[in-house]
Amino acid sequence: MFNYMWPIALVLLSNTIYQIAAKGIPGEMNSFASLTITYAVAAIFCLIMFFITNKDSALLMEYAKTNWAPFALGVVIVGLEVGFVFAYRAGWPVSEASVVANTLVAIALLFVAALLYKEQITMTKVAGIALCIGGLVLINK
């Protein structure tokens, strides 16, 4: 059970701190300049974690295993980061921006999962989406 839950706990903690940090980026700072700092810190942290968690593995050998996904992830992460920074600068409250964005992502992923990964769209999932949409209505009142 621990192996199932700790990644979600990490996402919860990280996403909470992420939203606070994204809101805290100075308004007068260029968003892309701030992201150069963000990604430099992230790259250094990942390099350290690679060597801590893989004592017998060579970094270049790991790079040889890559495909398109890390490159696409790098581009879309910039979109995610800049999107939230601009949303907060436009006046979105921290308590609403992430909820709205994540609800819309959940709806989009329901269809992506069905089309690309052949996951079933069940009535329970449709009801969950309806509840999410209801929640959006309630938080925006």
Side-chain angles (χ1 to χ4, degrees), residues 43-118:
I44 292 167
F45 180 72
C46 286
L47 189 62
I48 291 167
M49 291 306 297
F50 173 81
F51 287 112
I52 288 172
T53 61
N54 292 292
K55 298 189 185 323
D56 297 328
S57 187
L59 186 60
L60 293 178
M61 289 176 61
E62 292 300 316
Y63 286 159
K65 300 174 187 175
T66 198
N67 65 4
W68 62 271
F71 299 98
L73 192 57
V75 172
V76 298
I77 285 174
V78 172
L80 177 69
E81 308 276 358
V82 170
F84 273 115
V85 170
F86 286 143
Y88 291 135
R89 288 182 180 174
W92 276 84
V94 173
S95 61
E96 294 177 16
S98 181
V99 174
V100 170
N102 285 317
T103 299
L104 295 173
V105 168
I107 293 168
L109 288 177
L110 183 70
F111 295 105
V112 168
L115 292 171
L116 295 182
Y117 301 106
K118 308 302 182 219

